[in-house]
Amino acid sequence: MAILTFLLHLAGAIMLLLFAVKMVRSGIERSFGASFQRWLTENNSLIGSGATGVMLSLILQSSAAVTLLAAGFAAAGYLAFPAGLAVVLGADLGSALIIQVLSFRLEWLVPLLLTVGGFLVVKVDGRQLRQVGRVLMGVAFILISLQFLRQTMEPIADSSFLPAVAEYLAHDFITAFLVGAALAFVMHSSVAAILMCATLVHIGALPFAAGLSLVLGANLGSAGIPVYLTRGMAAEGRRVPLANLILRGAWALGALLVINLALDPALLLIVSPEQSLIYSHIGFNFSLLIVALPLCRPVGRFMVALLPVRAQVAYDRPDEVSVLDHGVLESPQMAIASLKRELLRMMGLVERMFEPVQRLYESGDKAGMRAIRAQDAAVNAALLQIRRYIAAIPIDTYTKDEVKTVRSLMDYAIRLEAAGDLVSGQFLDIAAEKRDQQTTLSPEGWSELVHMFEAVRANFRLAGNVLISDDLESARALVTEKTEIKQTERRSRKHHLQRLSAGRKDSFDSSNIHLETLRALRDLNGHVAAVAYPILYRNGQLLETRLIRTVQTEAEG
């Protein structure tokens, strides 16, 4: 019974730690996620990219999350391989610095974080402040989970079982290395895995030498997480995490062999065992960054040879082939699932059209504009096929709720087609006008538009999740983002008018372009976010009208 109680408490502490780390990361992503692409891609030097990786890892509290972002932008062509690898190497150092901060004895801070964070989440309506509260509560939960973990492990530190295992790991450093790698991979968080190791070393349940081997293994395991998660990505995206795994794995294995065979692990005991372990982890990542940063470009050539881009043939375009299945029309659930897959494909087409628009505002490339207009035909064709598919559905055999679902999906298909027309029409017309008139936007105005572009791109991804999952919380988040974009548009319009009042010539010359782009971005986001409304209606989360109803109208009187 004692063993079961210990295992239950240990599992609870670990799950709370993982949940808290995820809570902090998701809170920050919801607040600043739309800006991550600009942060990742605006640096041209490897040192700057490495510093960006450190910063993003400190913000997201996860080097794996930064690696996934870098891989995604590399696959989309926004981030070159050397810069992407530098970002990931910096992110690993940032993750190590996070562990140092969280290892401090900050239990006294827990009540304050819970009070302030809970107040912001429960009592404040502002989206940004609510997410700040979420982050504060997540940090408090991390500290609570570490305290819980220490309390769980302390009673068995003097038992015969744990010292025997710890002593074995101290002498068999290869096994300890592999256990650390597996631990970090299974937990999907190097921060959580290394914090747990540091806690075990602190209470004396694990020798320093064994903890050091575990930490080196955790570095290898954490580098394997993004490789696994990007296994279905294009070759350009898979190169960055795989290169990081090769470099990190080789450096970790080399450090393991040198420390245990050529040196004495006790030489690294410069302060307390727990703090020395964390210092060793930081030193490992810092040394890897220094050594590997100049190798980013040569490694890039090796990775291109290792993972070449597969040649595309003309007919290999699965995203332009309808996925509607006419053989399942008699089955409502299967037919609705088929419609959702087609809508997701249609959304991807529109998103691909919108993706280069921001760059076209700067370059005015005519060939790029023609390519976008040509893609609009595929969106129109998708809507036509969805109409024919729904027309063939035997509505009489469907329930009332199923008919409502089909109609809501048809409505969303119409909204997506309108979104495609908006991109190929108004956006490109504005970009062409800007090019032909050689108009230059004010630095402040362009920054405001870039922020709006980023937010709309992020909402495309969120809308896709809502379409597939029917998740109420995600639907609420999408509508909240829509409201935020409307508020951002109003603020930008207000600032633009203030610049006009101040006599800014660049704002006066670009006024039409600035205001029309704001309106087009708001309208496009409205089309994309429309997928959330049927879910909110079904769950009673949306009013039929925003007009205030009186008890009795004057007409009734």
Side-chain angles (χ1 to χ4, degrees):
M1 188 65 184
I3 295 178
L4 290 177
T5 302
F6 163 73
L7 292 176
L8 181 61
H9 286 186
L10 179 62
I14 293 174
M15 287 301 105
L16 179 59
L17 179 58
L18 293 175
F19 169 77
V21 171
K22 183 177 180 181
M23 184 176 182
V24 173
R25 183 168 66 248
S26 62
I28 295 173
E29 284 176 340
R30 291 176 184 178
S31 298
F32 306 105
S35 302
F36 287 155
Q37 179 177 343
R38 175 161 45 87
W39 292 349
L40 276 173
T41 57
E42 66 184 1
N43 286 293
N44 296 320
S45 70
L46 294 179
I47 295 177
S49 296
T52 299
V54 173
M55 179 192 67
L56 287 177
S57 185
L58 289 171
I59 292 174
L60 292 177
Q61 303 216 343
S62 171
S63 58
V66 178
T67 305
L68 291 175
L69 285 172
F73 292 139
Y78 295 115
L79 192 63
F81 175 87
L85 183 56
V87 166
V88 172
L89 293 169
D92 290 318
L93 176 59
S95 179
L97 296 175
I98 291 168
I99 295 169
Q100 173 63 80
V101 174
L102 295 177
S103 67
F104 294 139
R105 297 295 176 265
L106 300 174
E107 287 82 359
W108 59 270
L109 195 57
V110 170
L112 178 61
L113 292 174
L114 289 175
T115 301
V116 176
F119 177 80
L120 292 176
V121 171
V122 175
K123 296 296 184 180
V124 176
D125 294 330
R127 184 181 67 92
Q128 293 283 354
L129 289 178
R130 285 172 62 89
Q131 297 306 327
V132 170
R134 182 184 180 89
V135 171
L136 294 178
M137 293 192 70
V139 174
F141 289 156
I142 291 176
L143 299 175
I144 292 171
S145 66
L146 293 176
Q147 187 177 9
F148 189 17
L149 186 61
R150 294 188 193 103
Q151 293 173 353
T152 301
M153 298 301 297
E154 282 174 353
I156 68 163
D158 299 326
S159 67
S160 59
F161 172 73
L162 187 60
V165 174
E167 191 67 22
Y168 175 77
L169 292 177
H171 288 89
D172 189 350
F173 58 87
I174 296 295
T175 299
F177 180 79
L178 296 176
V179 168
L183 186 66
F185 187 84
V186 170
M187 295 178 74
H188 267 46
S189 172
S190 61
V191 172
I194 296 173
L195 279 173
M196 190 175 73
C197 292
T199 300
L200 294 175
V201 170
H202 170 70
I203 65 174
L206 195 67
F208 174 76
L212 191 59
S213 299
L214 285 169
V215 165
L216 289 173
N219 277 278
L220 173 63
S222 64
I225 298 169
V227 174
Y228 174 76
L229 295 177
T230 59
R231 62 192 185 280
M233 195 176 285
E236 295 90 343
R238 288 185 286 129
R239 288 171 188 161
V240 173
L242 182 58
N244 181 57
L245 175 63
I246 294 172
L247 291 173
R248 182 161 300 278
W251 197 249
L253 186 59
L256 178 77
L257 296 176
V258 169
I259 290 172
N260 287 278
L261 297 179
L263 300 175
D264 183 358
L267 294 175
L268 297 176
L269 268 170
I270 53 179
V271 286
S272 67
E274 177 192 21
Q275 196 60 56
S276 296
L277 190 69
I278 295 172
Y279 285 162
S280 300
H281 178 54
I282 295 174
F284 170 84
N285 284 279
F286 181 74
S287 62
L288 177 60
L289 178 64
I290 296 300
V291 171
L293 207 58
L295 302 176
C296 287
R297 290 185 175 88
V299 170
R301 292 190 288 270
F302 169 75
M303 294 307 299
V304 169
L306 183 64
L307 291 176
V309 178
R310 183 171 62 89
Q312 296 286 337
V313 293
Y315 56 80
D316 189 15
R317 295 300 297 270
D319 55 350
E320 293 185 2
V321 178
S322 174
V323 296
L324 291 171
D325 187 354
H326 289 266
V328 298
L329 289 172
E330 300 293 336
S331 173
Q333 292 184 346
M334 297 294 290
I336 289 172
S338 181
L339 274 171
K340 286 187 175 182
R341 289 196 302 272
E342 180 70 3
L343 282 170
L344 190 64
R345 183 185 73 87
M346 190 176 178
M347 185 188 299
L349 292 172
V350 177
E351 184 179 6
R352 195 172 68 190
M353 291 172 60
F354 176 67
E355 196 67 44
V357 167
Q358 180 183 327
R359 296 197 301 273
L360 291 176
Y361 265 62
E362 297 178 282
S363 66
D365 179 34
K366 293 182 179 180
M369 294 182 184
R370 287 195 298 270
I372 291 178
R373 289 194 171 97
Q375 293 175 49
D376 190 43
V379 178
N380 297 336
L383 176 62
L384 179 60
Q385 293 190 42
I386 289 175
R387 281 176 172 159
R388 290 173 176 171
Y389 188 83
I390 292 178
I393 288 177
I395 293 295
D396 294 341
T397 63
Y398 283 44
T399 66
K400 183 178 179 180
D401 289 339
E402 290 165 350
V403 171
K404 286 183 178 179
T405 300
V406 169
R407 287 174 178 168
S408 67
L409 294 175
M410 180 70 242
D411 290 340
Y412 190 55
I414 295 172
R415 297 294 293 264
L416 287 177
E417 193 271 340
D421 289 343
L422 189 62
V423 174
S424 63
Q426 188 171 356
F427 277 105
L428 296 189
D429 290 343
I430 298 172
E433 178 185 348
K434 180 178 181 297
R435 179 200 62 214
D436 295 341
Q437 297 180 0
Q438 298 183 349
T439 304
T440 301
L441 293 161
S442 66
E444 299 90 341
W446 179 242
S447 177
E448 292 163 5
L449 291 181
V450 167
H451 179 72
M452 287 276 285
F453 272 108
E454 292 170 347
V456 174
R457 280 196 293 266
N459 284 347
F460 264 103
R461 294 188 289 272
L462 182 56
N465 294 336
V466 172
L467 175 64
I468 294 301
S469 67
D470 273 346
D471 179 59
L472 176 60
E473 186 61 31
S474 298
R476 290 178 61 88
L478 183 57
V479 173
T480 302
E481 291 292 340
K482 178 184 176 182
T483 303
E484 180 68 21
I485 282 184
K486 285 184 176 180
Q487 293 172 351
T488 302
E489 182 218 2
R490 285 196 291 268
R491 286 194 297 268
S492 180
R493 192 165 58 241
K494 176 183 176 182
H495 294 159
H496 177 73
L497 294 177
Q498 289 173 346
R499 290 191 291 270
L500 289 178
S501 300
R504 293 279 296 272
K505 185 178 184 302
D506 50 1
S507 295
F508 182 82
D509 293 340
S510 63
S511 182
N512 186 57
I513 291 172
H514 184 91
L515 295 177
E516 286 190 6
T517 303
L518 284 177
R519 185 167 57 251
L521 286 167
R522 182 201 63 196
D523 293 344
L524 177 63
N525 187 74
H527 290 315
V528 173
V531 68
Y533 289 111
I535 300 171
L536 296 176
Y537 275 124
R538 287 200 304 269
N539 290 274
Q541 298 289 306
L542 205 62
L543 298 175
E544 292 288 342
T545 177
R546 281 182 279 182
L547 295 175
I548 299 176
R549 295 181 180 272
T550 57
V551 177
Q552 286 187 341
T553 62
E554 291 183 4
E556 292 174 337

